[in-house]
Amino acid sequence: MGQKNLGVPRPARQRRKMQSVTMMDVAELAKVSPSTVSLYLRRPDAVSASAGSAIAHAIDKLNYVPNLVAGGLAAASSRAVSIIVPSVRNAFFAETVAAMQVALRKERLQVILGHTEYDEREEEDLVRTALSWAPAAVVLTGLSHSQATRRMLGKTSVPVIEIWELGGPQIDTAIGFHHEQVGAATARHLIQQGRRRLAFLGARMHEDRRARLRCDGFMAAAAEAGVSVDVMQHPAPSSAEVGAMLLSETMQTLPDIDGIATSNDHVALGVLFECERLKIAVPEKLALVGFGDLSFSAACNPPLTTIRPSGDLIGKEAARLIIEHMGGKAPAPQMTIDTRFTLLHRRSS
Amino acid sequence: MGQKNLGVPRPARQRRKMQSVTMMDVAELAKVSPSTVSLYLRRPDAVSASAGSAIAHAIDKLNYVPNLVAGGLAAASSRAVSIIVPSVRNAFFAETVAAMQVALRKERLQVILGHTEYDEREEEDLVRTALSWAPAAVVLTGLSHSQATRRMLGKTSVPVIEIWELGGPQIDTAIGFHHEQVGAATARHLIQQGRRRLAFLGARMHEDRRARLRCDGFMAAAAEAGVSVDVMQHPAPSSAEVGAMLLSETMQTLPDIDGIATSNDHVALGVLFECERLKIAVPEKLALVGFGDLSFSAACNPPLTTIRPSGDLIGKEAARLIIEHMGGKAPAPQMTIDTRFTLLHRRSS
DNA sequence: GTGAAAGCGCTAACAT
DNA sequence: ATGTTAGCGCTTTCAC
């Protein structure tokens, strides 16, 4: 290429070369125009069979990989979906993110992942960057966001989906369930089992708003039944260790507690371990209900009564909505999808 | 070719409007050229203080959000890093992905996430799409990939990092540890504790190559010490349930086993639960070693001896390398970083 | 059904 | 230090 400039005013500039084979190369080889290749790539049956197979051939031969960045720029919307969760270390969100990625993948949509670490400032920043990508959709966790976040998201035409929480003002679409209802169901279950002195043991409740909502629902339902609740908290993230500590503390200060709910199954597992060490019979002396139905919950001693939140359904539904929206379906504003939850009554209660 | 449309230039076409406020708007308001704005955005101290503050002002006033897609196209490399793992549902990879995202975020790099679900075909597809984004780097899990994957990755100039496995031929840079060494360390530990009839209990070993490597290392080290090993497997993904089943099966067919290693702590937890039900004393009658040091491992009864793999270090190191590479540092080809592992001797052995 | 042309918003080489 | 200029590779009218 460099040789051909003869009388030209200025030599071609030195540009970093980007992509070895472009759509133009494919078009040339297939003897069609670039726009036909582009069309073929997006709607294969909109081009004639002969052109189609020539293009397919050329793509294969040249080993062509389309540049989605260029495509995104030209189309004003990239095939990316931004998903922002507190942390994928948390099994609940990992489940949703995984389910979503797998579902979006079929439509060739990419997942851009962000972690807020339970920090609204961080979330705001993440949203700002997310919008820089002109994504097909933005997915956030929960309904609580900074003013600036709401403002940014309100102004864009990018679809916004809030997941894992229902029951507050939502930006656009929300998919999840009511955490107060989870708490209430837990309380009613324990009361139904004849328990009258209840406690709620929670980890990191100052940051985990949804755990707090479950706790609120728990207390409200108990109060309604005339049963009092003690709340024990620990600021560290959920773990069996925290659960063990909280139980040990509870038994010291409130030795006649007979029913316990925890902010999640990690904590409940720790409670179970500590009960074993303290020779507290579960469920005879103490009934226990967790939240999450994690991988160990059905296998422990005794098997743990818990709430299954269907995190994968949340992810699948979110993906479905995004895909439908891209297909040019109705914008579906302010939709709300309740994915529900299930109380699994096992032997710990 | 053919007739050019004569005379008057056609009126401006109707184009979907994309971005409300662009870099040009900022430049106009700040009374500088777009390239100065661009420069300011990338290297703020390369522009004069007066221009800088005028630009900052304009950005703020207009609420300008840069379009990274356009930037990526122009710069021939997007600020995205593609991370491909078996699944983020797996706590090990979740840890690494989270650590990486947080580290990359500081350099305004985005994480694009893909799940192979332990399928090389899927991985291949994911890599292909990843390259469509002209990412700053591609991160894959393990050293085992399809031919096509290796070919694609070999040809690009995109840095490739393989994580969570060391000890085989690598595409470019690898960060992780030797799983055979983990298995060997585990075997030696059990033997040192006086155990002579060992078993390795593994879940989903047909898909989880790294678990298999640990098993291999375990058997090799045991053989070297003249100790035989029985391997029990279950095809389902790791869970406490599978662990319980495997132990129960083991005790039926091999009642005099006195030392057990598991493919990971999920399985070990199940073993512990089943031992409790079967009244098998751990570690007196049976010593147990897991892998992973998961959130419950230190809290169970008895606390679980296990291997801590430092998944977050893997993520941090990968992020560091990517960032250094972007800074134009040496390409650092074929680098290998051993993040090691630690055996945590707790009461289960 | 297919092609020509006009950018999408930005970066970077070059000139000043 | 700042501006000029020429694309990056693709999508999308619009005309044929």
Side-chain angles (χ1 to χ4, degrees):
Chain A
M1 316 172 122
Q3 297 292 19
K4 70 186 301 190
N5 61 323
L6 352 131
V8 193
R10 216 188 308 160
R13 282 159 174 200
Q14 175 61 21
R15 275 222 139 216
R16 69 240 156 267
K17 77 155 178 293
M18 303 185 61
Q19 197 162 308
S20 35
V21 26
T22 71
M23 190 177 272
M24 253 188 71
D25 300 320
V26 174
E28 234 159 60
L29 182 59
K31 300 203 196 318
V32 294
S33 75
S35 52
T36 304
V37 177
S38 171
L39 187 61
Y40 169 80
L41 252 26
R42 277 165 302 111
R43 308 198 282 111
D45 33 59
V47 307
S48 69
S50 60
S53 75
I55 293 168
H57 230 101
I59 287 176
D60 202 58
K61 177 153 187 190
L62 297 176
N63 225 310
Y64 168 65
V65 177
N67 183 327
L68 292 183
V69 177
L73 179 57
S77 160
S78 69
R79 298 191 74 78
V81 171
S82 178
I83 306 184
I84 298 171
V85 294
S87 175
V88 86
R89 270 179 258 247
N90 182 319
F92 300 129
F93 304 125
E95 178 76 39
T96 300
V97 168
M100 216 157 147
Q101 194 273 329
V102 169
L104 290 174
R105 163 124 209 68
K106 286 171 193 144
E107 300 294 319
R108 328 207 76 235
L109 286 162
Q110 305 295 297
V111 165
I112 296 183
L113 182 67
H115 296 95
T116 67
E117 309 277 357
Y118 290 99
D119 180 349
E120 282 195 1
R121 286 249 161 286
E122 194 64 27
E123 182 184 63
E124 185 179 317
D125 230 66
L126 250 11
V127 167
R128 200 187 320 282
T129 326
L131 292 179
S132 301
W133 284 88
V138 173
V139 178
L140 324 186
T141 309
L143 300 174
S144 174
H145 318 286
S146 79
Q147 274 300 316
T149 301
R150 302 188 147 276
R151 204 174 331 114
M152 274 189 289
L153 256 14
K155 271 205 306 217
T156 56
S157 54
V158 177
V160 176
I161 301 182
E162 289 162 289
I163 56 173
W164 273 94
E165 186 178 338
L166 249 42
Q170 53 200 62
I171 298 174
D172 192 356
T173 291
I175 305 176
F177 55 93
H178 294 268
H179 289 260
E180 302 93 323
Q181 290 181 6
V182 169
T186 305
R188 281 196 292 267
H189 170 77
L190 284 169
I191 290 167
Q192 201 182 316
Q193 303 297 310
R195 311 300 163 148
R196 290 296 177 272
R197 268 145 311 185
L198 306 182
F200 189 99
L201 313 195
R204 208 198 315 205
M205 302 249 290
H206 60 295
E207 288 186 336
D208 188 341
R209 185 180 133 83
R210 286 164 290 282
R212 226 157 48 222
L213 289 172
R214 294 194 290 275
C215 182
D216 292 346
F218 186 82
M219 292 198 292
E224 206 169 281
V227 172
S228 76
V229 173
D230 285 283
V231 177
M232 310 292 286
Q233 303 193 42
H234 195 287
S238 299
S239 71
E241 233 156 337
V242 166
M245 287 166 52
L246 284 171
L247 182 81
S248 132
E249 198 184 326
T250 304
M251 293 327 276
Q252 273 162 25
T253 58
L254 310 158
D256 56 350
I257 286 290
D258 62 4
I260 282 184
T262 63
S263 57
N264 64 48
D265 285 359
H266 290 293
V267 176
L269 183 63
V271 168
L272 231 36
F273 289 146
E274 191 64 19
C275 283
E276 209 175 311
R277 289 188 280 262
L278 299 177
K279 311 270 186 244
I280 297 172
V282 176
E284 293 75 9
K285 183 165 177 341
L286 196 64
L288 178 64
V289 182
F291 170 78
D293 192 31
L294 299 180
S295 69
F296 50 77
S297 304
C300 44
N301 291 325
L304 188 62
T305 295
T306 189
I307 304 272
R308 172 181 298 166
S310 60
D312 63 332
L313 182 57
I314 293 175
K316 276 180 201 153
E317 286 292 293
R320 187 176 60 77
L321 249 47
I322 292 166
I323 290 163
E324 277 178 6
H325 185 95
M326 292 207 61
K329 293 285 197 307
Q334 286 277 125
M335 190 186 270
T336 302
I337 299 181
D338 191 339
T339 57
R340 305 303 218 309
F341 56 87
T342 322
L343 192 147
L344 302 169
H345 186 184
R346 293 199 276 239
R347 296 218 318 276
S348 73
S349 67
Chain B
M1 15 213 104
Q3 284 280 39
K4 218 56 189 353
N5 62 320
L6 30 99
V8 203
R10 259 194 259 92
R13 279 151 176 210
Q14 175 60 23
R15 275 220 137 216
R16 69 235 158 272
K17 78 155 177 294
M18 304 185 63
Q19 197 162 308
S20 34
V21 26
T22 72
M23 189 178 273
M24 254 188 71
D25 299 321
V26 174
E28 234 159 59
L29 182 60
K31 299 202 196 319
V32 295
S33 77
S35 59
T36 305
V37 177
S38 171
L39 188 61
Y40 169 79
L41 251 26
R42 278 166 303 115
R43 307 197 282 113
D45 33 59
V47 306
S48 69
S50 61
S53 75
I55 293 168
H57 228 101
I59 287 176
D60 202 57
K61 177 151 185 193
L62 296 175
N63 224 310
Y64 169 65
V65 177
N67 183 328
L68 291 183
V69 177
L73 179 58
S77 160
S78 68
R79 297 192 74 78
V81 171
S82 178
I83 305 183
I84 299 170
V85 295
S87 175
V88 87
R89 271 179 258 246
N90 181 319
F92 300 129
F93 304 125
E95 178 76 41
T96 300
V97 167
M100 214 156 152
Q101 193 273 330
V102 169
L104 290 173
R105 163 127 208 67
K106 286 170 192 143
E107 300 292 321
R108 329 207 76 234
L109 285 163
Q110 304 296 298
V111 165
I112 296 183
L113 182 68
H115 296 94
T116 68
E117 309 277 356
Y118 290 98
D119 179 347
E120 282 196 1
R121 285 250 161 285
E122 196 63 29
E123 182 184 62
E124 184 179 317
D125 230 67
L126 250 11
V127 167
R128 200 188 319 281
T129 326
L131 292 179
S132 302
W133 285 89
V138 174
V139 178
L140 324 186
T141 308
L143 300 175
S144 173
H145 317 286
S146 79
Q147 273 300 316
T149 301
R150 302 189 146 275
R151 203 174 331 114
M152 274 189 288
L153 256 14
K155 272 203 304 215
T156 55
S157 54
V158 176
V160 177
I161 300 181
E162 288 162 289
I163 57 173
W164 275 93
E165 186 177 339
L166 248 42
Q170 54 199 63
I171 297 175
D172 192 356
T173 292
I175 305 176
F177 54 94
H178 293 269
H179 289 260
E180 302 93 321
Q181 290 181 6
V182 169
T186 305
R188 281 196 292 268
H189 170 77
L190 283 169
I191 291 167
Q192 199 182 316
Q193 302 297 311
R195 310 299 164 148
R196 290 297 177 271
R197 268 145 311 184
L198 305 182
F200 188 99
L201 312 196
R204 210 200 315 205
M205 303 250 289
H206 60 294
E207 288 185 334
D208 189 341
R209 186 180 133 84
R210 288 164 290 283
R212 227 156 49 220
L213 289 171
R214 294 194 290 276
C215 182
D216 292 346
F218 185 82
M219 292 198 292
E224 205 169 280
V227 172
S228 78
V229 173
D230 285 283
V231 177
M232 310 292 285
Q233 304 193 41
H234 196 287
S238 299
S239 72
E241 231 156 339
V242 166
M245 286 166 52
L246 284 170
L247 182 82
S248 131
E249 197 183 326
T250 304
M251 294 326 277
Q252 274 164 23
T253 58
L254 310 158
D256 55 352
I257 287 290
D258 62 3
I260 283 183
T262 63
S263 57
N264 65 49
D265 285 359
H266 290 294
V267 176
L269 183 63
V271 168
L272 230 37
F273 288 146
E274 191 65 17
C275 283
E276 210 176 310
R277 289 187 280 260
L278 299 177
K279 311 269 185 245
I280 298 172
V282 176
E284 293 76 10
K285 181 162 178 346
L286 196 62
L288 179 63
V289 183
F291 170 78
D293 192 31
L294 299 180
S295 68
F296 50 77
S297 304
C300 44
N301 291 325
L304 187 62
T305 295
T306 190
I307 304 271
R308 174 182 297 168
S310 60
D312 64 333
L313 182 57
I314 292 175
K316 278 181 200 152
E317 286 292 293
R320 187 176 59 76
L321 249 48
I322 292 166
I323 290 163
E324 277 178 8
H325 184 96
M326 292 206 61
K329 292 283 196 309
Q334 285 277 126
M335 189 186 269
T336 302
I337 299 180
D338 191 339
T339 56
R340 304 304 217 310
F341 56 87
T342 322
L343 192 147
L344 302 170
H345 186 183
R346 293 198 277 239
R347 295 219 319 274
S348 73
S349 68

